[in-house]
Each structure stands twice: as structure tokens, then as C-alpha cells.
Amino acid sequence: MIYFVGAGCGAADLITVRGMNLLKSADVIVYAGSLVNPQLLDYASEDCQIFNSATMTLDEVMDVMVKATEEGKNVVRLHTGEPSIYGAVQEQMHVLDERGLAYENCPGVSACFGAAASLNLEYTLPEISQSLIITRMEGRTPVPKKESIESFAAHGASMAIYLSSGMMGELSKRLIEGGYSKDTPAAIVYKASWPDEKKFICTVGTLAETADANGIKNLAVVLVGDVISKSGYALSKLYSADFETGFRKARS
């Protein structure tokens, strides 16, 4: 069996219990060495074979996984964060489908949630924003035209922007062109939950200035939206005394 496991956003203890147990029982681990915390490999058994996919091509990764599975071994493909977000997992699962090999997915904590925890932030504040847009800006890899930063910015919702910290000036420009004011609160969280985590509160207009001043060029998630100010929101109806739920009658 092959297991695609989300390593979480950084800290070794932010992997799920299921993910940890899968690592412990793995005969082979193929991990994303450029981003996954190597401390997670401490969960592996002494005789486990470990491969760093940062130095491998897709074909090389699949050769290792397929061969090990056909030999009856348990394989863990350890991806950073949550594999379903920028994990490049579908292309791997497609190959396995063609080979008729079984696999399962184990979710992980993505960087935007590690960043929110670091900032004690809620993305969905009543009357401020009830949506979180997770996206990235095009760089060496394009994005569909209908998913431009400007089109998403027009919603004014909370945004978590991945893989764009090396293009802060352009990102700031596009966010403003899309509808955010230059004074809209923003945050940069570098390596969320890692020991060397850094976090900065700024504005959409000062994203580039803040990144340059602090040497942030990669490995950061950018958060945008009025929720970052933690003000001006309404209280939740769920706990309001005059709001009836299936578990509590309204109280006068």
C-alpha cells in the first residue's frame, strides 16, 4: 500500500497521529526534502529506506514507489503541508491508477493554518469575511487567466497567497488593482511553526517594503484581509443568547 501523507506546515509534532503511525510502519519513505522537516524522519524504523524527492524526477519517484509496492512493502510519500494544496500528487496517483496499485491519502496542516495559529487569527469573522481564498501568483508556473490575483482581490475576502513571496512588489500592485486598498491589513509568515519562524504585520501597500527589510524571499505565506486587524466584526450567532440551535433554546 502507498500512503500520501501530509507532513504539516513545519513543526514535527504538527503531523497527524495517523501520519505519524504511518511513518513508523513504513518500509520505504519518499519525502519532499526541500520543505519537509527532517525531524519527521525520526519516526521511521531503523531499517526503513528513505529517499529525498528533492533530488529526483517524477519518473524516479514513481519507480521507487512502484517497485517497493510490488515487493509488498508499505510506502509513505511524505509531502509538505497538506498534499491536496500545491502537492503535485494527482500526477503520481494517475500513474498508480494505471498500474492498478492501491493508495490512500492522509491529510496534513497547510501553511495558511499554521500561519493563522501563529497570529492567533480567525479567517472568517462575521460581517468582515466568511470566505478564505487560497491561491498563488503566476511565476515560472502559470495559473489560469480566470484565477488572477486581481479577480480574487475583487471579492475583498480573506486571502492566503502561496509561492509568491519572491514577487511582493508585483503582488502588492495586483492586489490593489483588484480592489484592496493599499491600507488593507496584510501579514507575512515565514516558515510557519518552524523554530525559525518569522511573522510580520503590514499592509497591502507595504508588502514589498516589509519583505525586503526582513530578508523574506521564499518559504512564506502572505495573508491579506480586514480580518487581520481583528476589529469591527460582529459576534457569532452560534453563541448569542437570542439565537436558537438544535442544542439550545433562545434565552430572553
Side-chain angles (χ1 to χ4, degrees):
M1 176 68 80
I2 295 171
Y3 299 93
F4 291 90
V5 176
C9 51
D13 59 353
L14 278 180
I15 192 169
T16 63
V17 173
R18 181 183 296 181
M20 177 186 68
N21 287 333
L22 289 171
L23 287 174
K24 288 180 177 180
S25 63
D27 300 304
V28 175
I29 295 173
V30 183
Y31 78 107
S34 59
L35 295 169
V36 167
N37 188 338
Q39 290 182 0
L40 288 166
L41 301 178
D42 292 342
Y43 293 125
S45 64
E46 291 185 2
D47 56 351
C48 179
Q49 290 182 281
I50 298 176
F51 298 85
N52 181 356
S53 65
T55 63
M56 303 166 71
T57 66
L58 174 62
D59 287 342
E60 290 169 339
V61 168
M62 298 313 300
D63 284 345
V64 168
M65 293 168 61
V66 169
K67 180 181 178 182
T69 304
E70 291 177 341
E71 292 174 350
K73 297 177 179 179
N74 281 329
V75 179
V76 166
R77 178 66 169 107
L78 187 61
H79 280 270
T80 183
E82 159 50 40
S84 67
I85 301 176
Y86 307 120
V89 293
Q90 185 59 59
E91 59 199 44
Q92 299 171 68
M93 293 187 289
H94 185 77
V95 173
L96 299 177
D97 287 337
E98 290 182 330
R99 298 290 189 99
L101 298 176
Y103 58 88
E104 292 181 4
N105 281 276
C106 176
V109 179
S110 191
C112 67
F113 304 118
S118 176
L119 297 172
N120 295 318
L121 179 68
E122 181 179 351
Y123 288 121
T124 54
L125 293 178
E127 299 186 11
I128 300 295
S129 176
Q130 290 291 285
S131 302
L132 171 62
I133 297 171
I134 299 174
T135 190
R136 68 172 181 85
M137 193 167 73
E138 69 269 19
R140 294 172 61 189
T141 304
V143 301
K145 290 183 179 180
K146 64 182 179 181
E147 297 182 13
S148 69
I149 291 294
E150 293 91 333
S151 67
F152 286 138
H155 294 283
S158 303
M159 289 183 69
I161 305 165
Y162 286 60
L163 304 170
S164 305
S165 50
M167 303 175 283
M168 290 293 199
E170 182 67 15
L171 176 60
S172 176
K173 175 185 173 184
R174 293 191 178 192
L175 287 167
I176 293 170
E177 289 177 350
Y180 287 112
S181 74
K182 65 179 182 179
D183 296 321
T184 300
I188 301 170
V189 182
Y190 169 81
K191 297 184 73 173
S193 82
W194 290 72
D196 54 344
E197 172 192 271
K198 298 178 183 178
K199 51 190 175 184
F200 310 97
I201 302 296
C202 56
T203 65
V204 167
T206 60
L207 279 169
E209 176 185 342
T210 303
D212 289 345
N214 294 282
I216 305 299
K217 298 179 180 179
N218 57 14
L219 303 180
V221 60
V222 177
L223 310 180
V224 177
D226 289 328
V227 295
I228 296 172
S229 70
K230 304 179 184 179
S231 63
Y233 61 91
L235 297 181
S236 169
K237 293 293 186 183
L238 179 60
Y239 299 108
S240 176
D242 62 357
F243 191 76
E244 183 172 323
T245 73
F247 299 92
R248 188 189 69 239
K249 296 292 185 181
R251 300 171 188 172
S252 57

